[in-house]
Amino acid sequence: MVSNLAKKRDMWSLITLGIIVIYAFVLVFPLIALLKESFTAGKDGAFSMDYFFKFFGKKYYYGALFNSMKVTVAVTIASVILATPLAYIMTTVKIKGKIYLQILILISSMAPPFIGAYSWILLLGRNGVVTNFMRDVFHLGTPDIYGFLGITLVLTLQLTPLIYMFLMGALKSIDNSLLEAAESMGYTGISKLVKVVMPLIVPTILAGALMVFMRALADFGTPMLIGEGFMTLPVLIFNEFISEMGGNDGFAAAISVIVIIIALTIFLIQKYISNRKSFSMNALHPIKEKKESGMKNFLSHVYVYGFIALAILPQLYVVYTAFLKTSGRIFVKGYSLDSFRQAFDRVGDAILNTFMLGLTAIVFVVIIAIFIGYVTVRKRTSATNALDVISMVPYIVPGSVMGIALLLAFNSKPLLLSGTAAIMVISFVIRRLPYTIRSSAAIVHQISPSVEEASASLGASTLKTFTRITLPMMIPGVISGAILSWVTIISELSTSIILYTAKTRTMTIAVYTEVVRGNYGIAAALSTILIAITIISLLIFFKLTGQKEVSI
């Protein structure tokens, strides 16, 4: 009887319980606090639906909902349309410089979207380089980068690589014999893609589209910089929560709840459709690249190079402007390192904070992800299944919403964490854990249980088997996931903009602040540093994993 009880309370059960308690404290509790605040009105704190009636009672408020859905749907559709042929061409056609192109695609997706928005302002803004060139030389106007079209352009170029990475993994699972059979029946080119390939990758397209939808719905920096009156929900939440005239926490919470409901609904619809259309593929003969010739080869290269040129252009131009001379806030002729000097002088603390907060978060991410990745694969119980679901909730909850939830939960004693580095680290950990959890779980799947059974049969304890046998084998997957988590942490804005103080601002906050103030030189210097860190992190990822691409 005692031995059975001991088995139930083994090390892994206690670890699982401990992690669930942590999630209950830093995720579930804040979301409950958010929900409670949204239904509370007046000084007596009585139950009320007033905030929701207020939202749907004025066009200014519910118009932001329609604007967000308009942008999000447009970006999702455009990303799918662009990413599908891009992934197909990169998989089936020999493209010159493919290895480097894949790295550029990845870099374009990892930079914060608002840096792309800021770059396009420099290029196509009212006083942008391209705008002035077209007006002075050809006497022509350029498309307006502000508002719906600008937001859609920036987010589409930013998020298309996400679907591309999903599709690259799926296309490798398609057996080449299916394509050969299709060709023997007269399906070639676009018809083969539409009639044969796309039906096979529908679940993957839906999964990628869901991620794009969530990212576009949650993005704060892009519409804030180039929206110009085109109000979206994240901007509305920010304005209502942090207002110069006195924020309304309850109303911001109510809008946040509406956003969560929308995101959860889309998530459940995607899961339902994916489950109905899901099937497994095992490619005995994976698709191989073919060296094409003539018009097909030309158009393939034009499409790939054209998309990558547009996607990477914002980052390249930001790097270029970082080395221009400045006179006050204005760029002048010549090159210098003045912007970098000013950046270190004015916001050097933000650079240090980014590393300190980010690295601290990564330590917790790695430790927690190792345990979650292991128990959700090896110790399947109702508790570990619940943990698996809870750990993925941050995929659904937008960053600004999560930031407000954390502030509402930890803004009074004895849980006073607002304004501290701790609340920043908590937000980084819970929002970026899924990347490392997925890679950790994936590598555990590849480790044969017989290895651990052999260790146990030789008398090794559960802890010793894990630390000496399993953990060393998990390290490559854990590190690769941690690097991707790190890249997303240093580019985090939507949560940080809610939680930061003068002592905890990060580089993304500093970039955003300098852009708003018009200090484009300093903003460009900081952005360049962020881009450099991203590139170095990705190169380390490729080195450690031996991969030349990232597929999800």
Side-chain angles (χ1 to χ4, degrees):
M1 187 76 173
V2 175
S3 61
N4 288 337
L5 187 62
K7 287 181 180 178
K8 290 181 181 179
R9 295 180 179 176
D10 64 5
M11 180 183 77
W12 294 113
S13 296
L14 292 175
I15 288 174
T16 301
L17 179 60
I19 296 175
I20 288 176
V21 170
I22 292 172
Y23 266 110
F25 179 68
V26 301
L27 180 62
V28 178
F29 172 57
L31 291 178
I32 292 175
L34 180 77
L35 186 64
K36 179 183 176 182
E37 189 73 19
S38 68
F39 285 101
T40 302
K43 294 181 179 179
D44 57 351
F47 176 84
S48 173
M49 295 282 290
D50 288 351
Y51 293 131
F52 294 93
F53 292 139
K54 178 181 178 181
F55 179 83
F56 289 105
K58 289 186 179 181
K59 186 176 181 181
Y60 173 78
Y61 298 127
Y62 66 74
L65 170 61
F66 290 120
N67 286 345
S68 284
M69 296 306 297
K70 183 180 176 182
V71 166
T72 304
V73 171
V75 169
T76 303
I77 293 174
S79 297
V80 170
I81 292 173
L82 288 171
T84 304
L86 180 67
Y88 181 70
I89 291 171
M90 291 288 277
T91 305
T92 59
V93 180
K94 282 193 175 182
I95 301 294
K96 292 182 180 180
K98 179 181 176 181
I99 293 176
Y100 304 105
L101 295 176
Q102 288 171 330
I103 294 174
L104 290 176
I105 291 174
L106 193 55
I107 291 171
S108 70
S109 72
M110 292 296 181
F114 73 91
I115 289 181
Y118 149 61
S119 179
W120 284 109
I121 290 174
L122 297 179
L123 290 167
L124 288 175
R126 295 185 181 91
N127 195 36
V129 175
V130 176
T131 303
N132 291 337
F133 175 80
M134 295 297 291
R135 182 182 62 241
D136 297 340
V137 177
F138 298 104
H139 305 290
L140 295 174
T142 55
D144 191 357
I145 195 63
Y146 302 98
F148 168 74
L149 289 178
I151 297 171
T152 303
L153 170 67
V154 171
L155 291 179
T156 298
L157 292 175
Q158 170 80 23
L159 300 177
T160 294
L162 289 179
I163 298 184
Y164 165 83
M165 288 186 282
F166 271 85
L167 293 178
M168 287 297 286
L171 289 170
K172 291 177 181 177
S173 301
I174 297 178
D175 198 294
N176 196 49
S177 60
L178 293 174
L179 301 187
E180 293 173 350
E183 290 172 356
S184 68
M185 298 177 67
Y187 291 102
T188 58
I190 295 177
S191 62
K192 182 172 62 175
L193 172 63
V194 174
K195 297 288 186 179
V196 180
V197 177
M198 287 194 66
L200 294 174
I201 59 176
V202 164
T204 305
I205 290 176
L206 289 174
L210 173 68
M211 180 173 281
V212 168
F213 186 96
M214 296 301 181
R215 291 275 292 269
L217 179 65
D219 187 69
F220 162 80
T222 303
M224 193 70 173
L225 287 178
I226 61 175
E228 286 208 346
F230 190 86
M231 183 70 68
T232 61
L233 287 175
V235 176
L236 179 62
I237 290 172
F238 177 80
N239 289 342
E240 291 298 325
F241 191 74
I242 303 176
S243 172
E244 293 180 1
M245 302 301 293
N248 190 330
D249 295 357
F251 188 42
I255 302 172
S256 299
V257 169
I258 293 170
V259 174
I260 292 175
I261 292 172
I262 294 170
L264 181 60
T265 301
I266 297 298
F267 174 75
L268 293 175
I269 292 173
Q270 183 269 339
K271 293 291 288 183
Y272 174 76
I273 297 174
S274 294
N275 289 337
R276 293 199 60 176
K277 292 183 175 292
S278 64
F279 51 85
S280 60
M281 294 186 292
N282 188 15
L284 296 176
H285 304 286
I287 297 175
K288 293 183 179 180
E289 302 170 357
K290 292 182 181 179
K291 188 174 183 179
E292 302 290 350
S293 59
M295 185 58 67
K296 186 175 182 179
N297 182 62
F298 173 75
L299 292 176
S300 296
H301 278 79
V302 167
Y303 187 85
V304 171
Y305 278 84
F307 172 80
I308 294 174
L310 276 176
I312 205 69
L313 179 61
Q315 285 78 19
L316 293 178
Y317 191 70
V318 164
V319 173
Y320 169 74
T321 56
F323 293 93
L324 292 177
K325 279 187 178 181
T326 57
S327 177
R329 298 181 178 181
I330 303 172
F331 292 117
V332 295
K333 290 184 179 180
Y335 301 92
S336 75
L337 296 176
D338 289 346
S339 293
F340 289 93
R341 295 191 191 96
Q342 293 176 40
F344 280 101
D345 289 341
R346 291 186 54 173
V347 292
D349 60 324
I351 299 173
L352 181 62
N353 287 341
T354 299
F355 279 95
M356 295 297 293
L357 296 174
L359 291 174
T360 302
I362 283 297
V363 171
F364 287 103
V365 165
V366 168
I367 294 172
I368 297 172
I370 286 173
F371 290 135
I372 293 178
Y374 184 81
V375 298
T376 53
V377 175
R378 286 285 194 266
K379 312 291 179 180
R380 301 296 294 181
T381 64
S382 56
T384 59
N385 289 336
L387 182 59
D388 195 20
V389 173
I390 292 173
S391 65
M392 293 300 153
V393 169
Y395 265 135
I396 301 172
V397 180
S400 55
V401 173
M402 197 68 242
I404 292 175
L406 288 170
L407 274 187
L408 292 174
F410 303 122
N411 200 32
S412 59
K413 293 180 179 181
L415 301 175
L416 183 58
L417 296 178
S418 60
T420 67
I423 199 169
M424 295 284 285
V425 171
I426 289 171
S427 70
F428 290 156
V429 172
I430 59 177
R431 294 204 66 225
R432 303 311 178 185
L433 248 176
Y435 294 94
T436 311
I437 290 174
R438 292 185 67 172
S439 64
S440 301
I443 202 163
V444 173
H445 277 294
Q446 297 173 16
I447 300 173
S448 174
S450 61
V451 176
E452 296 167 274
E453 292 168 0
S455 175
S457 68
L458 293 172
S461 64
T462 302
L463 179 61
K464 190 173 183 179
T465 297
F466 178 74
T467 56
R468 296 289 183 87
I469 306 297
T470 311
L471 183 57
M473 299 174 72
M474 289 177 63
I475 289 299
V478 173
I479 292 177
S480 63
I483 292 172
L484 293 180
S485 293
W486 161 257
V487 170
T488 56
I489 283 173
I490 63 174
S491 62
E492 168 65 45
L493 176 68
S494 57
T495 306
S496 302
I497 198 75
I498 300 288
L499 299 175
Y500 89 101
T501 63
K503 293 182 179 180
T504 58
R505 64 174 176 171
T506 59
M507 273 195 284
T508 51
I509 299 294
V511 172
Y512 173 79
T513 303
E514 296 303 325
V515 170
V516 171
R517 292 173 178 172
N519 297 322
Y520 293 143
I522 297 175
L526 289 171
S527 300
T528 301
I529 295 171
L530 267 176
I531 293 169
I533 295 171
T534 301
I535 293 173
I536 293 170
S537 301
L538 292 175
L539 291 177
I540 294 172
F541 170 85
F542 294 136
K543 180 68 176 178
L544 292 176
T545 61
Q547 300 179 25
K548 298 300 181 183
E549 62 186 26
V550 175
S551 57
I552 301 175

